[in-house]
Amino acid sequence: MAEHPLHYRAVDMDEGAGAHVKRLFPVAGLRHVDPFVLLDEFFVDPGGGFPEHPHRGFEAVTYLMNGAMRHRDNLGNDSIVQAGGAQVFTAGRGIVHSEAPAGEETAHGIQLWINMAKIHKDLPPAYQAIAAQQLPLQELSCGRVRTVIGPGSPIHLHSAVSYHDVQLEQEGEFHLAVPAHHAGLIYAVAGEPEVVDERLETGAALLLAGASVITVYTSAPCRFICISGQPHGEPIVQNGPYVD
């Protein structure tokens, strides 16, 4: 685990058409966490969304925690993913898509952009819809953990990434091994998980590098995500929806 993890708070802002996000990065003071380009916790009411727009040069995972999200793109895909599921696209040389809530509930989730190594940026675009039942769910003595990306998950990216959604319903702790060569973070979605003697408020994160085993404690219900990835060690050049 990193000896001195860094504590950051997401920035509230509006995006798309009526969407509200808590953006951990890129913002002033924290541009990127190689290989990760963007992390948004989003809240989109019915009638809002992200109208048709282009992307290239990265992969994106939109993980739903509540509600449902509809994805449509220029590859002919048109799908709806419910809470607990994910929408994944490889932008590669270029994709055009839109996202909007499906149904009457607010769509709430996490969108994560992962940079593609230069040798992969010209790959053809692709899309995958993953239902909640396809993602491994492990029951813990004090809650549960869903593996979004990792062993047992059907999501395979062009970068080495690990991604878990952890819900602790009572006092307890959670342990997670993180590869030594990964850069990672823990982001608090609800409640106040504690790690490395740091109590995270909702919407805050700890960045971790050179990790071995993370232990997260809680004395009350909380929810957080743990992500890590192997850095590409290449410049991340982001121009709005493009990562070149």
Side-chain angles (χ1 to χ4, degrees), residues 8-196:
Y8 289 89
R9 176 172 295 282
V11 177
D12 291 293
M13 61 182 68
D14 294 324
E15 280 288 340
H20 177 74
V21 305
K22 295 180 180 180
R23 177 160 296 168
L24 186 62
F25 54 84
V27 295
L30 184 61
R31 298 306 302 167
H32 308 110
V33 180
D34 188 9
F36 306 116
V37 178
L38 174 148
L39 191 152
D40 280 351
E41 180 182 6
F42 62 84
F43 304 83
V44 191
D45 292 329
F50 303 92
E52 191 173 272
H53 58 282
H55 290 298
R56 69 168 179 258
F58 66 95
E59 295 181 290
V61 178
T62 302
Y63 175 62
L64 271 293
M65 293 183 166
N66 291 292
M69 189 71 85
R70 183 179 186 180
H71 165 106
R72 289 186 284 188
D73 62 40
N74 63 336
L75 305 179
N77 297 296
D78 186 345
S79 66
I80 295 175
V81 169
Q82 307 286 337
Q87 298 173 333
V88 184
F89 70 73
T90 297
R93 67 173 70 108
I95 191 172
V96 177
H97 81 134
S98 64
E99 296 172 292
E104 301 302 317
E105 291 186 78
T106 296
H108 170 216
I110 302 288
Q111 184 165 95
L112 178 68
W113 294 10
I114 305 102
N115 190 30
M116 299 179 76
K118 287 184 178 179
I119 60 172
H120 293 143
K121 286 186 181 288
D122 198 41
L123 289 175
Y127 171 76
Q128 188 177 16
I130 308 296
Q133 57 267 29
Q134 294 178 265
L135 298 177
L137 184 65
Q138 178 187 357
E139 294 294 332
L140 308 173
S141 60
C142 56
R144 64 186 60 85
V145 55
R146 188 184 302 276
T147 300
V148 182
I149 304 173
S153 169
I155 298 175
H156 298 287
L157 304 175
H158 290 84
S159 303
V161 172
S162 176
Y163 186 154
H164 295 84
D165 171 25
V166 184
Q167 292 179 270
L168 302 182
E169 298 174 347
Q170 58 191 26
E171 183 174 358
E173 59 185 56
F174 172 74
H175 306 276
L176 179 69
V178 177
H181 300 294
H182 279 209
L185 62 90
I186 295 174
Y187 174 80
V189 176
E192 297 185 344
E194 183 177 333
V195 59
V196 200

Side-chain angles (χ1 to χ4, degrees), residues 185-210:
L185 62 90
I186 295 174
Y187 174 80
V189 176
E192 297 185 344
E194 183 177 333
V195 59
V196 200
D197 299 322
E198 287 270 0
R199 186 178 298 276
L200 290 181
E201 297 179 356
T202 299
L206 282 178
L207 304 191
L208 305 166

